[in-house]
Amino acid sequence: MKCRVCREPAVIDLRRHNANFCAEHFLRHCCQQVERVIHDYKMFSPEDRLLVAVSGGKDSLAVWDILHELGYAVDGLYVGLGIERYSGESLSYVSDFVDRRGLNLTIVDLGDTYGFDVPGAAEATGRVPCSACGLSKRHVFDSAAVDGKYDAVVTGHNLDDEAAVLYGNVMRWQVDYLGRQRPLLEARDGFPRKAKPLVRLTERETAAYCVLRGIDYQVEECPMAIGNKHLGFKETLNLLEDRSPGSKAEFYFGYLKRAVDRFSDAEDRGRLGICSGCGAPTDAEVCAFCRLVSRSAGATQPVAFKARNEATVSKR
Amino acid sequence: MFVVKVLLQYPSREIEISGPMSVTKLLRKLDLNRESVLVIGSGTLIPADSVLADDAEIEIRPVISGG
């Protein structure tokens, strides 16, 4: 197997590109794919301040590393979820990453700041853990980006993530979600701009990027996520990909090119109000996160406003 | 005949495979989708067409995450 660029021995084959790459040119390929997404979707410019949502996994560390290498100003935000041993380990990978590069990291621990953790919230509310986790992370990232006047929140969603979400939404014809599934969501109604620069890279590519860059990341799957629907969708799509390389990219990018605009009208664009608890944008009197906090902590009124303004926020 | 040590991650377990065997054939034998894993040895990636050496110790690392 020879590298497509230099004809030296290759270390990875990318069948959907019908190409093999050596380490040097694979890393360059990853950066080029990210640059292309940033350019095509006009995500942000080198003058912008970016906040990356970082978990200690391969995707968030890869996107932070690539953007840092490309010269963007990126700070990180880590949310402590309180998931047994898993959360402590994930923070150690993030800490090691920022220490080696001298980057800025803010840590918000759900337990210290809001009085609950993801396992507790799942039990108290009867929601699946991934639901409580996603809701909490979105709230904390949105709040931090708005409060910190960042120009965009960056997440490490990759091609597999986006194809799996699209697959799930199509299977159930969730038309209100389909209209929002884009690599870039503009800021609106108090929500920050959100960008996904990794959508042209598969999970295998982001993991390979980390291995070749010497980035130590948390390989272990979150114990709360094992067996969830999202993983099942990914496995299904990878069966198709194995038989027909390029299927995931054709599915997702074909949707963006030919179909997403057809669902724009289905997206709920109703005017949002302000949460009476925390001040976040919401279509209810109290936002979903404050309701989660209230139910999880057993409180009788929203406590997030106080918690948010007296947050236990660590700056490294 | 030689033996290749294979560390499979999550759940972590070690197996031994009789060689010689290419990476592609190894993944097929273990019923693993090549889109879902990386094969790693000596800190770098091992390409699909490689034939594993008789003293090889490799890691097969899953790349799918559910977040």
Side-chain angles (χ1 to χ4, degrees), chain A residues 237-252:
Chain A
L237 290 171
N238 271 344
L239 289 174
L240 298 172
E241 184 77 15
D242 191 40
R243 291 187 177 191
S244 181
S247 295
K248 287 182 292 196
E250 287 178 22
F251 178 51
Y252 177 62

Side-chain angles (χ1 to χ4, degrees), chain A residues 52 68 89 104 159 162 190:
Chain A
V52 64
H68 180 61
E89 284 187 9
N104 295 320
L159 175 58
E162 294 305 290

Side-chain angles (χ1 to χ4, degrees), chain A residues 57-59 61-62 205-217:
Chain A
K58 63 189 187 311
D59 303 308
L61 295 181
E205 288 164 68
T206 60
Y209 178 89
C210 288
V211 170
L212 295 174
R213 283 282 291 164
I215 297 171
D216 212 7
Y217 65 90

Side-chain angles (χ1 to χ4, degrees), chain A residues 3-38:
Chain A
C3 173
R4 179 166 79 176
V5 180
C6 66
R7 310 307 298 166
E8 291 295 312
V11 297
I12 189 167
D13 61 311
L14 302 183
R15 292 192 298 158
R16 73 187 174 94
H17 292 296
N18 195 26
N20 309 312
F21 291 105
C22 67
E24 177 189 346
H25 290 114
F26 173 74
L27 296 174
R28 189 180 298 176
H29 158 83
C30 291
C31 290
Q32 288 171 342
Q33 295 295 307
V34 169
E35 285 182 302
R36 181 174 167 184
V37 171
I38 294 169

Side-chain angles (χ1 to χ4, degrees), chain A residues 1 10-11 13 15 58 203-204 207-208 211-212 217 219-221 228 230-231 234 238-239 241-242, chain B residues 9-10 33-38 40 43-49 59 61-67:
Chain A
M1 235 168 65
V11 297
D13 61 311
R15 292 192 298 158
K58 63 189 187 311
E203 286 194 293
R204 183 167 168 265
V211 170
L212 295 174
Y217 65 90
V219 178
E220 182 184 1
E221 179 57 271
N228 73 12
H230 193 63
L231 282 170
K234 286 184 172 181
N238 271 344
L239 289 174
E241 184 77 15
D242 191 40
Chain B
Q9 293 282 26
Y10 301 105
N33 188 329
R34 57 192 290 185
E35 298 297 329
S36 305
V37 297
L38 288 177
I40 300 168
T44 192
L45 303 175
I46 302 178
D49 65 346
E59 172 192 349
R61 183 182 295 184
V63 298
I64 294 184
S65 57

Side-chain angles (χ1 to χ4, degrees), chain B residues 44-63:
Chain B
T44 192
L45 303 175
I46 302 178
D49 65 346
S50 290
V51 175
L52 299 166
D54 58 358
D55 58 347
E57 293 187 22
I58 64 166
E59 172 192 349
I60 298 180
R61 183 182 295 184
V63 298

Side-chain angles (χ1 to χ4, degrees), chain A residues 51-66:
Chain A
L51 181 67
V52 64
V54 63
S55 67
K58 63 189 187 311
D59 303 308
S60 59
L61 295 181
V63 75
W64 198 356
D65 188 68
I66 291 171

